[in-house]
Amino acid sequence: DLAADPVVTFYRAAAAFKRGGAGWDAAQRDLKRLTLSQRQDGELRGSWDPASGAFAEWGGRLGVSAVDVLVLEIYYRYCRLGVFTF
């Protein structure tokens, strides 16, 4: 589940991208759901609602949104930080 733990989602997405093939195709379909779950209205626009779980409780909206942005860097194959080589 994408919302269960964003950190796990990040590592799974990175691994799927590196492996490529059918696994990456499946991961892209799952990650597209992440793009659709971003808030589109109000003062919280652009963030993600934290789901239940340990990471959401610890990181809150800011932590979940930060990790989801990193996941989308994999999805879009674009890294502004220059840290990852996709």
Side-chain angles (χ1 to χ4, degrees), residues 1 4 6 8 11-12 18-19 21 30 33 37 39-40 45 50 60 63 67 74-75 82 84:
D1 181 23
V8 171
Y11 285 114
R12 286 182 179 170
K18 288 291 188 182
R19 291 179 71 194
D30 288 341
R33 288 186 295 141
S37 67
R39 293 292 301 259
Q40 300 295 318
R45 187 172 143 234
V67 174
I74 297 169
Y75 177 74
F84 306 105

Side-chain angles (χ1 to χ4, degrees), residues 1 7 9 11 14 17-18 21-22 24 27 32-33 36 38 41-44 48-50 53 58 61 72 74 78 85:
D1 181 23
V7 176
T9 300
Y11 285 114
F17 177 79
K18 288 291 188 182
W24 174 237
K32 183 167 176 84
R33 288 186 295 141
L36 301 174
Q38 188 177 23
D41 59 337
E43 65 183 37
L44 300 176
W48 281 265
D49 294 326
W58 178 81
R61 177 174 304 281
L72 290 179
I74 297 169
Y78 178 76
T85 54

